[in-house]
């Protein structure tokens, strides 16, 4: 794939995937309409927690820094929702792989609460009191290990597949390691951002087209900032 044919790194990553690794048997669906709008309510992006504020590091108090190796690509090897969603009224959380409407009862005194929610202004916070929402079933299952109680009201069920990104991740990651070993750090970084940029591409909102007549100055400004 010629990088000059792609406007963004995520577009380049997607083209590489579709050209070299995608298989129709993966059964990846493009979901639109009301179902898409509902599922998008469960999308919150990444979160960061600060556990120790003002911790002093010196010769007597050492600090340790830990970093995941290719964290995003490693998550892409997990099971992913595929196929067409089916609406379910089941209240059994374990019967779902998909997105559940649920009443969520957080535990008391948890150091950092895990399940996010948006307020009326769209700001994200982490409630410590009971609340309702739609969430990925695997997040709800994992939260039970920390004392959360989950009462499922219904949701969307999917089939699951853990091979749709496997060859892509393993191939590009191997190339990245080879480039690092050869001290070709620019190429190694290129492989890194290609690996990290594919996952989110599948969750992008569809771009709405708009036609406008503008003057030369506005056109130059738009061309610099927008997808024109």
């Amino acid at each position: 794939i010629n990088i000059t044919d792609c406007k963004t790194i995520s577009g380049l990553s997607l083209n590489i995937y579709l050209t070299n690794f995608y298989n129709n048997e993966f059964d990846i669906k493009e979901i639109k309409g009301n179902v898409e709008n509902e599922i998008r309510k469960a999308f919150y992006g990444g979160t960061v927690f600060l556990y120790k504020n003002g911790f002093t590091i010196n010769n007597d108090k050492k600090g340790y820094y830990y970093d995941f190796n290719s964290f995003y690509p490693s998550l892409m090897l997990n099971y992913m929702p595929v196929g067409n969603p089916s609406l379910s009224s089941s209240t059994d959380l374990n019967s779902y792989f998909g997105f559940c409407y649920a009443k969520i009862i957080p535990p008391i005194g948890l150091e950092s609460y895990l399940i996010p929610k948006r307020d009326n202004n769209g700001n994200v916070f982490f409630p410590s009191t009971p609340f309702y929402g739609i969430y990925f079933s695997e997040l709800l299952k994992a939260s039970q290990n920390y004392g959360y109680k989950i009462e499922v009201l219904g949701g969307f069920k999917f089939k699951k597949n853990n091979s749709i990104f496997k060859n892509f991740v393993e191939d590009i990651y191997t190339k990245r390691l080879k480039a690092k070993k050869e001290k070709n750090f620019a190429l190694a970084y290129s492989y890194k951002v290609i690996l990290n940029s594919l996952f989110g591409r599948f969750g992008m909102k569809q771009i709405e087209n708009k036609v406008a007549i503008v003057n030369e100055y506005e056109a130059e400004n738009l061309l610099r900032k927008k997808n024109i």
Side-chain angles (χ1 to χ4, degrees), residues 25-65:
E25 294 180 359
F26 291 161
D27 204 18
I28 300 173
K29 301 294 185 182
E30 184 177 7
I31 300 169
K32 296 183 178 182
N34 291 334
V35 176
E36 179 197 4
N37 292 336
E38 289 301 303
I39 289 176
R40 281 198 180 279
K41 294 176 183 177
F43 288 13
Y44 284 87
T47 55
V48 176
F49 296 99
L50 181 64
Y51 285 102
K52 299 294 182 183
N53 190 9
F55 181 75
T56 302
I57 298 173
N58 53 39
N59 290 335
D60 298 321
K61 293 182 179 180
K62 294 183 177 180
Y64 296 89
Y65 173 81

Side-chain angles (χ1 to χ4, degrees), residues 43-44 117-125:
F43 288 13
Y44 284 87
K117 186 172 176 60
R118 288 186 181 88
D119 62 21
N120 293 333
N121 295 319
N123 299 313
V124 176
F125 67 105

Side-chain angles (χ1 to χ4, degrees), residues 189-208:
Y189 182 76
S190 297
Y191 285 133
K192 176 181 179 178
V193 294
I194 288 169
L195 276 169
N196 289 346
S197 300
L198 178 65
F199 197 24
R201 183 75 184 204
F202 284 85
M204 280 182 59
K205 290 183 179 179
Q206 184 176 358
I207 298 174
E208 295 182 0

